[in-house]
Amino acid sequence: MDKNLLSNRVKTMGESATLTMAQMARDLKSRGVDIVDMTLGEPDFDTPCDIKNAAKKALDEGYTKYTPVPGLPMLRKAIVNKLKRDNNLDYNIDQIVVTNGAKQAIANACLALLNPGDEVILLTPYWVSYDSIVKIAEGVPVLVSAGIDQDFKIKPQQLEAAITDKTKMVMFSSPVNPTGSVYSHEELEGLAKVLKNYPGIYILSDEIYEYINFGSGHASIASFDYIKDRVIVINGMSKGFAMTGWRIGYMAADADVAKSCVKVQSQFTSGANSLGQVASAYALDHGVYKEMIDIFNERRKVFIKLLKEVPGFKVNEPTGAFYLFPDISYYFGKSNGKITINNSVEFSDYMIREAHVASVPGTPFGAQECIRLSYATSMENIIEATKRIKEFVKGFE
Ligand SMILES: Cc1ncc(COP(=O)(O)O)c(C=O)c1O
């Protein structure tokens, strides 16, 4: 087709970098190349059997019709209970919207709240899709960055300095994809105190990795009462319950914001799938997938130790999600005689071609000095990947 006929919106939209690298890994694998794939953004575990059984039962019980746009009351109730039990947050059922994955909850919120030209501060490194979703809603992403020296976490002064009279929203995740860093209660309080003074700014708090936390527990910025009505809590079933394919996410927000998001969703997709909702209600009522989290933690410890042994890599010790985000900028400008590495895109590209280890460059996460390595893969792969990375970098020292 004539590409000029495509909308400007789609022409300027970036492809998801994580999906692009995962696709490249799959293509090479299908050609017989022995790739160790460290790009994965989903648990390498199956959904627990009892959750699957809840969906099978729902099918037999006739949950096969359209669902209410904001979600089945049984799931919204389970979410209200979960937010109280796990986060000590009080919400009513009319403040909860069930979505087709957390991604849709983020898109709903941006479409419901942003006008063209509104600025959205992204705490950077940020999850790749934030930038694109904001742009689709005609907002303007404003990046506020933190490097590995501050554990990739933004300080209150940095946030305050980025606020203008056009700022409409601040968006971040904790635990953070891609860094694995987790904002503590005190760190969130610092940010909340800044935002207290700006009543026109909404805060989108993406907590999808809440349960994949190996530290001292999860904190939500919604727990600060003085800003709670402006916080949109995003969460979902994909990561914590290994339910990526079920496509169930949710948001908790001020009732008017929730209602506006329902309006947006009603015109795009309607209610989320019925079986997934019944299964999700069961999952939330029955608590965390501890077995999976414990295995992630074992891998995390081994991977940090091994990656720290790679010369030139700066590695922090993240306590959430299932990613490491080493700073590899030591290699910028270095050559192995054949090629010179200038940035993380080139580093990832050469590494998959030469060492057959697939990673995601930091650039699309707003951190061009890093690469993202996922440990949602076997211990065997973690050990093999590190062995290959060590060999790969030798040529560039
Ligand atoms: C930070 C973050 N938020 C949201 C999502 C999307 O989750 P869902 O599968 O529920 O759409 C992801 C998935 O990678 C993510 O990493």
Side-chain angles (χ1 to χ4, degrees), residues 6 34 48 62 110 118 145 157 173 186 219 230 244 258 261 297 304 318 322 335 337 340 342 352 362 367 392-393:
L6 295 170
D34 168 30
C110 287
D118 282 348
S145 298
Q157 313 83 276
S173 67
E186 290 69 31
R230 291 186 276 126
T244 46
C261 289
N297 199 14
I304 289 173
F322 38 65
S335 167
T340 304
N342 294 302
I352 191 170
F392 171 68
V393 298

Side-chain angles (χ1 to χ4, degrees), residues 18 41-42 100-104 106 127 130 173 175-177 206-209 234-239 243-244 247-250 323 372:
T18 41
E42 65 179 341
N100 297 277
K103 206 177 226 178
Q104 187 182 31
I106 300 164
W127 179 47
Y130 293 165
S173 67
V176 184
N177 177 4
D206 181 348
E207 303 178 18
I208 189 132
Y209 290 96
I234 305 285
N235 210 324
M237 310 306 293
S238 288
K239 317 289 177 176
M243 291 176 71
T244 46
R247 309 308 304 129
I248 301 291
Y250 58 90
Y323 309 107
R372 193 189 77 175

